[in-house]
């Protein structure tokens, strides 16, 4: 039986998961492929590291050339992460006529179009299912299963670290700092959690989803982005009183000739399925013009879920007829105008002096900027400083910003404490 030969770049968390799944399900995988799967070489930094898997040392190498320049290797699996040197390794592998499977969101978000074009030119496949939402098969679904649809909207919880932190803040009534520490202790957050908590990770993934679903090639830096570091217990508590949960959302919505893209903490109605997605789990809400509303749910990270997505890509390539070996087609659009946060509802929390007329003065100012209010909550009485919470009807963010510039100058307003998007899905 002919072998499908793999070269793996990196044997960290995802690489270990891939190796374990291949050992667990080898018979099924090889029956699907009609051939054996052979790991020919694995690139590692340290040949003598004590690993969690039983892998022969003869398979290990510290020289990437042992993989890229090996004419026997069919598929290079890039699992080292980061942009450099990963993007160089991927390019060199494609130029050598090898298929590539990667879980690297940073590379695909930044260089995806260039790499897809190179793969098409060389007649090989580039697959990256594991780059977004771990074990949830969202990329293949958008490219293939929903190819007959005009996708209108994608909203998702696509960062498990921030979702775990917000869940702990909500369920355990603890601060952001304590929830982050708990996430780090459980291995859900890195020692430097900046990429997760500031929304960079979600922006990378939203860039990939936008290219796949809408054909838009954009930079992650062009996505309006806000992390969760400013979300506090008060916001969690007041949102709950108003029947909402707070989640970090990645949102892409198409309106006529524009595409609204942003990553932001938002209030979601408790009745919506996204509101009940807790801890490290991910979920994506997709609306197509033919299929309607779809919901995808599962583990967005972890060695086995992500390794499962990587192996699925390997199997897809292995099953493809050699005369049809081209990468998944992503239709290029680039005609849509890219916007940040546009028209929507907003949650605003102020700290004000508790005295007669304050609420009326603020509400009047909102009215002068044609901002109507859906809900108003004043919590606390007989205290000098009290919170005042508003939820607006749909408005342009620019109007809200202008109104709040005026409100900040009122002597009775001590602080504009929080502004969060409200997603009434």
């Amino acid at each position: 039986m002919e072998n499908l030969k793999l070269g793996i770049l990196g044997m960290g968390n995802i690489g270990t998961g891939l190796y374990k799944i291949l050992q667990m399900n080898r018979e099924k995988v090889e029956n699907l492929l009609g051939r054996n799967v052979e790991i020919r070489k694995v690139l590692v930094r340290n040949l003598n590291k004590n690993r969690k898997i039983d892998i022969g040392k003869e398979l290990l190498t510290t020289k990437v050339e042992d993989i890229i320049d090996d004419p026997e290797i069919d598929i290079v699996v890039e699992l080292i992460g980061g942009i450099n040197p990963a993007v160089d390794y991927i390019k060199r592998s494609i130029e050598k006529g090898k298929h590539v499977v990667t879980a690297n969101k940073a590379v695909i978000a930044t260089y995806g179009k260039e790499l897809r074009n190179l793969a098409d030119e060389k007649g090989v496949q580039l697959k990256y299912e594991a780059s977004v939402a771990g074990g949830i098969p969202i990329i293949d679904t958008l490219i293939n299963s929903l190819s007959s649809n005009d996708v209108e909207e994608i909203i998702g919880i696509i960062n498990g670290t921030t979702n775990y932190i917000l869940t702990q803040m909500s369920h355990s009534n603890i601060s952001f700092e304590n929830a982050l520490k708990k996430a780090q202790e459980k291995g859900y957050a890195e020692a430097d959690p900046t990429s997760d908590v500031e929304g960079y990770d979600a922006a990378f993934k939203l860039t990939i989803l936008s290219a796949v679903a809408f054909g838009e090639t954009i930079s992650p830096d062009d996505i309006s982005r806000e992390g969760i570091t400013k979300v506090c217990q008060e916001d969690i508590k007041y949102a709950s009183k108003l029947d909402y949960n707070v989640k970090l959302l990645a949102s892409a919505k198409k309106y006529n000739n524009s595409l609204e893209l942003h990553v932001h903490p938002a209030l979601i109605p408790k009745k919506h399925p996204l509101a009940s997605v807790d801890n490290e789990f991910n979920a994506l809400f997709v609306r197509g013009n033919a299929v309607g509303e779809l919901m995808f749910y599962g583990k967005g990270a972890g060695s086995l879920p992500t390794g499962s997505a990587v192996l699925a890509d390997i199997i897809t390539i292995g099953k493809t007829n050699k005369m049809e070996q081209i990468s998944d087609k992503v239709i290029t659009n680039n005609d849509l105008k890219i916007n940040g946060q546009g028209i929507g509802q907003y949650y605003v929390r102020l700290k004000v002096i508790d005295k007669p007329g304050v609420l009326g003065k603020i509400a009047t100012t909102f009215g002068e900027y044609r901002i109507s209010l859906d809900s108003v909550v004043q919590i606390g009485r007989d205290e000098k400083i009290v919170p005042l919470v508003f939820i607006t009807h749909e408005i342009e963010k620019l109007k809200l910003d202008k109104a709040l510039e005026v409100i900040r100058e009122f002597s009775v307003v001590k602080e504009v404490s929080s502004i969060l998007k409200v997603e009434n899905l």
Side-chain angles (χ1 to χ4, degrees):
M1 186 183 291
E2 181 186 358
N3 286 0
L4 180 67
K5 297 176 182 179
L6 312 180
I8 301 176
L9 309 181
M11 190 49 69
N13 192 39
I14 300 173
T16 299
L18 170 63
Y19 188 87
K20 287 180 178 178
I21 298 166
L22 186 55
Q23 302 314 307
M24 279 192 306
N25 298 335
R26 179 174 289 278
E27 183 178 354
K28 179 179 181 180
V29 169
E30 293 181 344
N31 283 339
L32 282 169
L33 292 171
R35 50 181 166 164
N36 298 324
V37 177
E38 175 189 344
I39 297 176
R40 190 167 174 89
K41 278 292 178 184
V42 178
L43 179 71
V44 295
R45 289 187 211 169
N46 183 352
L47 295 173
N48 299 312
K49 180 180 177 180
N50 184 18
R51 304 180 193 282
K52 298 177 181 178
I53 52 175
D54 183 18
I55 185 169
K57 283 196 174 182
E58 72 279 1
L59 296 179
L60 306 180
T61 181
T62 58
K63 298 178 181 179
V64 71
E65 292 77 16
D66 290 344
I67 293 175
I68 293 176
D69 295 337
D70 183 348
E72 296 293 316
I73 288 176
D74 302 299
I75 303 174
V76 172
V77 184
E78 185 278 306
L79 302 175
I80 59 177
I83 290 181
N84 293 308
V87 67
D88 177 58
Y89 293 168
I90 292 172
K91 285 180 182 178
R92 287 165 59 187
S93 298
I94 293 172
E95 286 167 351
K96 288 283 187 177
K98 301 183 188 304
H99 307 293
V100 173
V101 173
T102 180
N104 196 320
K105 56 186 173 287
V107 164
I108 297 301
T110 309
Y111 295 97
K113 183 178 180 180
E114 177 185 345
L115 294 174
R116 285 191 294 268
N117 289 341
L118 181 61
D120 286 345
E121 178 188 327
K122 296 297 180 180
V124 298
Q125 295 195 58
L126 170 67
K127 306 283 282 183
Y128 44 91
E129 183 65 68
S131 66
V132 178
I136 302 174
I138 188 63
I139 302 296
D140 182 71
T141 298
L142 290 169
I143 292 176
N144 295 308
S145 301
L146 294 180
S147 59
S148 62
N149 278 254
D150 183 14
V151 176
E152 300 169 336
E153 182 178 6
I154 301 174
I155 298 179
I157 297 167
I158 53 177
N159 181 272
T161 299
T162 51
N163 201 47
Y164 179 85
I165 290 169
L166 291 172
T167 300
Q168 295 305 307
M169 290 176 69
S170 176
H171 292 185
S172 301
N173 195 30
I174 58 177
S175 67
F176 167 81
E177 291 76 15
N178 287 336
L180 171 58
K181 184 178 179 182
K182 193 172 179 180
Q184 289 170 326
E185 289 171 351
K186 287 187 169 289
Y188 297 143
E190 302 289 341
D192 179 1
T194 303
S195 179
D196 293 316
V197 300
E198 294 291 358
Y200 293 104
D201 175 86
F204 279 133
K205 295 170 181 175
L206 186 59
T207 298
I208 297 168
L209 291 173
S210 299
V212 169
F214 306 106
E216 283 294 326
T217 302
I218 60 171
S219 167
D221 294 333
D222 292 335
I223 291 179
S224 175
R225 173 192 51 78
E226 182 181 349
I228 65 168
T229 55
K230 295 179 183 178
V231 178
C232 66
Q233 263 302 320
E234 289 168 287
D235 296 318
I236 301 282
K237 179 174 64 177
Y238 301 149
S240 183
K241 285 181 179 291
L242 293 163
D243 215 25
Y244 292 94
N245 285 340
V246 179
K247 299 290 182 182
L248 181 72
L249 294 184
S251 176
K253 298 180 183 180
K254 186 163 67 172
Y255 297 101
N256 299 320
N257 293 319
S258 67
L259 184 62
E260 182 182 305
L261 295 171
H262 43 90
V263 171
H264 57 281
L267 277 66
I268 308 175
K270 288 183 178 180
K271 64 183 179 181
H272 193 276
L274 278 175
S276 60
V277 177
D278 286 338
N279 293 314
E280 72 274 24
F281 282 83
N282 282 197
L284 290 116
F285 172 81
V286 178
R287 180 182 286 114
N289 68 337
V291 76
E293 298 177 353
L294 299 173
M295 182 86 170
F296 301 86
Y297 172 82
K299 287 192 174 181
S303 63
L304 293 180
T306 310
S308 172
V310 171
L311 186 53
D313 279 346
I314 293 169
I315 292 169
T316 299
I317 293 173
K319 290 170 66 178
T320 304
N321 186 296
K322 290 186 178 179
M323 297 301 293
E324 301 172 349
Q325 287 178 345
I326 57 172
S327 58
D328 284 326
K329 281 292 181 185
V330 173
I331 305 302
T332 301
N333 187 341
N334 290 336
D335 290 333
L336 297 175
K337 179 183 177 182
I338 305 301
N339 297 323
Q341 294 191 42
I343 295 175
Q345 289 186 266
Y346 290 88
Y347 158 101
V348 180
R349 178 168 59 85
L350 310 176
K351 286 185 179 178
V352 302
I353 295 175
D354 187 18
K355 60 188 292 187
V358 172
L359 175 57
K361 185 175 184 179
I362 293 171
T364 298
T365 303
F366 279 135
E368 289 170 355
Y369 284 86
R370 297 185 178 180
I371 298 170
S372 60
L373 302 176
D374 181 70
S375 303
V376 180
V377 179
Q378 185 168 356
I379 302 171
R381 296 287 182 184
D382 301 321
E383 299 173 28
K384 188 174 181 181
I385 307 295
V386 296
L388 190 57
V389 175
F390 301 91
I391 290 183
T392 72
H393 284 117
E394 287 198 341
I395 53 166
E396 292 180 11
K397 180 66 162 49
L398 185 60
K399 285 185 178 180
L400 178 62
D401 291 340
K402 288 181 177 180
L404 290 174
E405 281 181 21
V406 175
I407 290 170
R408 278 187 177 93
E409 298 301 316
F410 294 165
S411 61
V412 292
V413 176
K414 295 305 178 184
E415 183 179 83
V416 177
S417 304
S418 184
I419 306 168
L420 299 175
K421 192 81 180 285
V422 178
E423 293 283 2
N424 276 312
L425 303 167

